[in-house]
Amino acid sequence: MSEAVIESPVLNAIFDRRSVRHFTEASVDKALVMEALKAASWAPSGLNNQPWRFGLIRDADLKAKLGGLTRYTNVLKSASVLVTFFLDKDSSYDYVKDCQAVGASIQNFLLAVQARDLGAVWIGEILKNKDEIRRILELPDRLELMAVVAVGHPAHRNQSSHRRPIEELVLFEK
Ligand SMILES: Cc1cc2nc3c(=O)[nH]c(=O)nc-3n(C[C@H](O)[C@H](O)[C@H](O)COP(=O)(O)O)c2cc1C
């Protein structure tokens, strides 16, 4: 007798989430961004130190300025909102663990965005200019940029992706 597979919304969201790089011109509701940031803030962190800090950018000039600092210019310019994720060094107790925690918060954010039928992509390539971005945004040294996430209403859902077979990734079972 085959076992019944019980549907899981969490697993479905994880498997269905794709990076979205093309957006319509529709604006994203602030309440939905705040909800997704709340999900981000519910990520785990070492000692529960919650080292993440967030910024929201909707201003077209600022989006264009940041867009000039990455080769993903059009993704940044066409997004309804850019969400910046920072590590607050004043809340940091272990650099690697704190970066991992901010990464976990970004993934929570992406899944929350997906849950509301919005689209987003994690832009890491822009980090080569993180100090310049801190200057543009007039932020103190203690805030280290970890990612910019472009958020909008997806222009389409044709994204595909692939993963290596799990058998290649599990190195051992002793
Ligand atoms: C640390 C990190 C940095 C990334 N940087 C970029 C980026 O600069 N530009 C981009 O288009 N996608 C970026 N991505 C998204 C990846 O390209 C994407 O997650 C990967 O290709 C798998 O596709 P999927 O998200 O649709 O499953 C980044 C993802 C991570 C986790």
Side-chain angles (χ1 to χ4, degrees), residues 56-66 76-77 79-82:
L56 306 183
I57 299 174
R58 286 187 189 269
D59 179 79
D61 287 344
L62 263 184
K63 283 195 278 189
K65 262 190 194 158
L66 264 57
L76 267 66
K77 282 168 74 174
S80 169
V81 56
L82 303 178

Side-chain angles (χ1 to χ4, degrees), residues 23-156:
F23 306 108
T24 71
E25 288 185 358
S27 159
V28 169
D29 206 62
K30 175 161 184 187
L32 294 180
V33 179
M34 296 307 284
E35 179 189 57
L37 286 174
K38 187 174 175 186
S41 78
W42 275 90
S45 60
L47 302 177
N48 196 17
N49 71 335
Q50 305 168 53
W52 40 71
R53 299 292 181 271
F54 316 118
L56 306 183
I57 299 174
R58 286 187 189 269
D59 179 79
D61 287 344
L62 263 184
K63 283 195 278 189
K65 262 190 194 158
L66 264 57
L69 297 172
T70 167
R71 61 193 180 87
Y72 296 95
T73 311
N74 288 333
V75 178
L76 267 66
K77 282 168 74 174
S78 65
S80 169
V81 56
L82 303 178
V83 179
T84 50
F85 285 79
F86 298 94
L87 166 63
D88 183 350
K89 291 183 193 155
D90 280 1
S91 299
S92 180
Y93 83 109
D94 178 297
Y95 186 69
V96 171
K97 293 180 203 177
D98 293 326
C99 290
Q100 290 171 340
V102 179
S105 80
I106 298 170
Q107 172 70 347
N108 271 13
F109 180 82
L110 295 177
L111 291 173
V113 162
Q114 156 88 8
R116 296 302 184 203
D117 217 23
L118 297 167
V121 59
W122 176 331
I123 302 290
E125 191 263 346
I126 201 169
L127 292 186
K128 62 188 180 190
N129 288 315
K130 62 184 176 183
D131 292 332
E132 176 67 10
I133 291 169
R134 203 166 26 74
R135 271 191 292 276
I136 291 171
L137 299 175
E138 300 178 338
L139 296 169
D141 285 357
R142 67 184 170 85
L143 296 177
E144 182 178 350
L145 185 68
M146 295 277 119
V148 174
V149 176
V151 185
H153 290 271
H156 59 81

